[in-house]
Amino acid sequence: MGEFDAAGDLVTGTLLGRAVERPGAHGDHGHGICLNCGTQLIGPHCHRCGQVGHVHRTIGAIWHEILHGVVHFEGKLWNTLPLLAFRPGELTRRYIHGERAQFVSPMAMFLFSVFTMFAVMQIMGVAPPADVGTTAQFESGLQYARQNTENAIVELREARAKAEKGSERAAKLDRQIEKLTTDLAEIKNFPIKMSGRIGLSSKARTGWPRLDKGIEKAERNPGLALYKLQTNSYKFSWALIPLSIPFVWLLFLWRRRFKGYDHAVFVTYSLAFMSLLFIGLMIASALGAGTTSISVVALLVPPVHIYFQLKGAYRLRWWSAALRTFVLLHLISFIVLIFGLLLLGLGLLG
């Protein structure tokens, strides 16, 4: 037996040496020696270590490895994205039940979407101002902008009344009036009472010193808090997953057949889709899509997606999925608030 092993090692070593000397010699699938472990190939992949039999040594292969390392682009992404967008419940259910090889895993999909989202935000320059002063100063600035815009519209209308009808100057004044009117409407609709909207106040006390200090800083300079939220939230976006799982678990408290793993897959795929949706809306806005259209999509798509994902993943009746969607949408705002408070408590927004 020892002689047989020695002979086998000798043959393997010889063949492996030939393969290393002439990498193209084993290019045909199913022939040659695995360059990783030296096993005789009987197919396109090594049955012992899993490495592909034909190893490319080109620049294109480097880009392929980068893409493969991020989300396994060898067909998995294109199998996953259509289902994630249009049949999320089926994707979630099939992954939970064991179909893993053809889909990007929930966590890989989530990380890919989050990193892509913040990369797009940086490229497009989507960022709140780092410093807008105190809340009172911010409100005063909005009022000042509103008054200036209203005065400018009055002056333009007076000039328009004096301009010759049908002239180029009249047309130019009409365009300016229309633009300023749109700007004024946006200023009027801006949520001036920022601290009231998010429920934070410098007078609030939670008993957690670091959180109380963070709330006080955010109240003094909300712009800086928003800026730090954007720059730090992607680092801790993964925290949304463990924060969300307990709330989804509560929706199925009396259904013991659904485990924590099932809820984790549901939450992670859902968060990945919402990130990709946000990316799409940002790009659409940059390409000139109307604010109304973007707002309609942003308001309607998330609840519809959650409904179909719940219905398909957990095999629910329509009314049961609709009820749970309604409850979950209200819980989401609470989850986001907890996430913000967590970042405040860690001193990341102050």
Side-chain angles (χ1 to χ4, degrees), residues 65-84:
E65 290 177 4
I66 292 174
L67 294 177
H68 177 75
V70 176
V71 289
H72 297 277
F73 267 63
E74 294 179 332
K76 288 188 175 184
L77 184 66
W78 318 122
N79 291 334
T80 307
L81 278 180
L83 289 179
L84 180 63

Side-chain angles (χ1 to χ4, degrees), residues 135-147:
T135 301
Q137 291 172 336
F138 183 75
E139 295 174 5
S140 177
L142 281 179
Q143 294 291 356
Y144 180 77
R146 175 177 175 174
Q147 187 63 49

Side-chain angles (χ1 to χ4, degrees), residues 37-296:
C37 66
T39 301
Q40 178 72 40
L41 295 175
I42 58 175
H45 292 80
C46 176
H47 62 279
R48 182 179 180 184
C49 68
Q51 177 168 294
V52 65
H54 183 61
V55 179
H56 296 274
R57 298 174 63 181
T58 63
I59 295 297
I62 296 295
W63 288 107
H64 176 271
E65 290 177 4
I66 292 174
L67 294 177
H68 177 75
V70 176
V71 289
H72 297 277
F73 267 63
E74 294 179 332
K76 288 188 175 184
L77 184 66
W78 318 122
N79 291 334
T80 307
L81 278 180
L83 289 179
L84 180 63
F86 303 108
R87 302 170 72 179
E90 178 182 340
L91 171 65
T92 304
R93 186 180 68 253
R94 289 171 64 179
Y95 191 90
I96 290 172
H97 290 172
E99 294 185 43
R100 312 288 172 81
Q102 60 180 321
F103 299 127
V104 179
S105 69
M107 183 55 70
M109 197 74 230
F110 171 74
L111 294 175
F112 169 74
S113 63
V114 169
F115 292 151
T116 303
M117 180 179 67
F118 282 94
V120 171
M121 291 175 68
Q122 291 296 322
I123 292 172
M124 298 178 62
V126 179
D131 191 353
V132 297
T134 64
T135 301
Q137 291 172 336
F138 183 75
E139 295 174 5
S140 177
L142 281 179
Q143 294 291 356
Y144 180 77
R146 175 177 175 174
Q147 187 63 49
N148 276 358
T149 305
E150 290 175 344
N151 293 338
I153 292 175
V154 171
E155 293 176 1
L156 288 173
R157 284 176 177 170
E158 291 176 354
R160 175 65 178 82
K162 297 177 182 179
E164 182 180 351
K165 187 176 181 180
S167 64
E168 182 178 347
R169 174 172 171 75
K172 182 179 180 180
L173 289 171
D174 286 336
R175 290 194 295 270
Q176 291 177 344
I177 292 172
E178 182 181 1
K179 182 179 183 304
L180 286 179
T181 302
T182 302
D183 293 342
L184 180 61
E186 293 180 354
I187 293 174
K188 289 181 178 180
N189 292 330
F190 196 90
I192 297 179
K193 297 295 183 179
M194 294 179 62
S195 60
R197 288 299 183 96
I198 61 176
L200 297 179
S201 170
S202 57
K203 298 179 181 179
R205 290 294 179 269
T206 64
W208 183 7
R210 294 187 64 177
L211 178 55
D212 291 338
K213 184 178 180 181
I215 292 175
E216 184 179 353
K217 287 184 177 181
E219 172 65 18
R220 286 202 308 265
N221 196 335
L224 182 60
L226 289 173
Y227 177 78
K228 288 190 175 182
L229 175 63
Q230 176 176 311
T231 56
N232 288 297
S233 59
Y234 81 95
K235 301 175 185 178
F236 296 90
S237 57
W238 56 267
L240 288 170
I241 298 174
L243 286 175
S244 303
I245 291 174
F247 294 96
V248 178
W249 174 78
L250 286 174
L251 296 178
F252 299 92
L253 181 60
W254 55 93
R255 295 200 175 187
R256 299 297 180 86
R257 62 191 182 95
F258 297 125
K259 308 299 181 182
Y261 178 82
D262 305 346
H263 306 320
V265 173
F266 170 87
V267 166
T268 310
Y269 269 140
S270 182
L271 289 172
F273 172 80
M274 299 306 167
S275 299
L276 293 174
L277 174 64
F278 186 68
I279 293 170
L281 293 178
M282 283 195 297
I283 295 175
S285 177
L287 295 177
T291 304
T292 303
S293 301
I294 292 177
S295 299
V296 170

